Amino acid sequence: MTARQTAHSAGCVEEAEEIVKELRTALKNAGITLPTLRLDAASVAREAPCPLIELGRCNVETAARIVAALR
């Protein structure tokens, strides 16, 4: 991987980490907690990371809160 590709990949991971923080805060402000909200480990472990955000599992009450917050 070239230096440019490495820098791009690092930037993608940093951006994804920031989005996870922002999403966690926004959900918290709406009274919603997704305990498994995180970066998908497999997607950042690749040679050229393309981060995916794992929202995880939630119960029906949490899913209903998400629906209400999005309406």
Side-chain angles (χ1 to χ4, degrees):
M1 185 181 317
T2 68
R4 183 175 180 195
Q5 290 170 323
T6 300
H8 175 74
S9 293
C12 288
V13 172
E14 289 173 10
E15 179 183 16
E17 288 172 338
E18 185 60 32
I19 291 298
V20 167
K21 288 178 190 175
E22 290 178 22
L23 180 56
R24 185 175 285 118
T25 298
L27 288 168
K28 183 179 178 182
N29 290 340
I32 301 167
T33 300
L34 295 177
T36 55
L37 175 63
R38 63 179 178 255
L39 289 184
D40 174 65
S43 69
V44 290
R46 297 172 25 184
E47 182 179 339
C50 183
L52 297 174
I53 297 171
E54 187 170 329
L55 300 176
R57 299 167 50 184
C58 67
N59 61 29
V60 173
E61 179 184 349
T62 301
R65 286 183 180 178
I66 293 170
V67 168
L70 293 173
R71 285 190 175 151

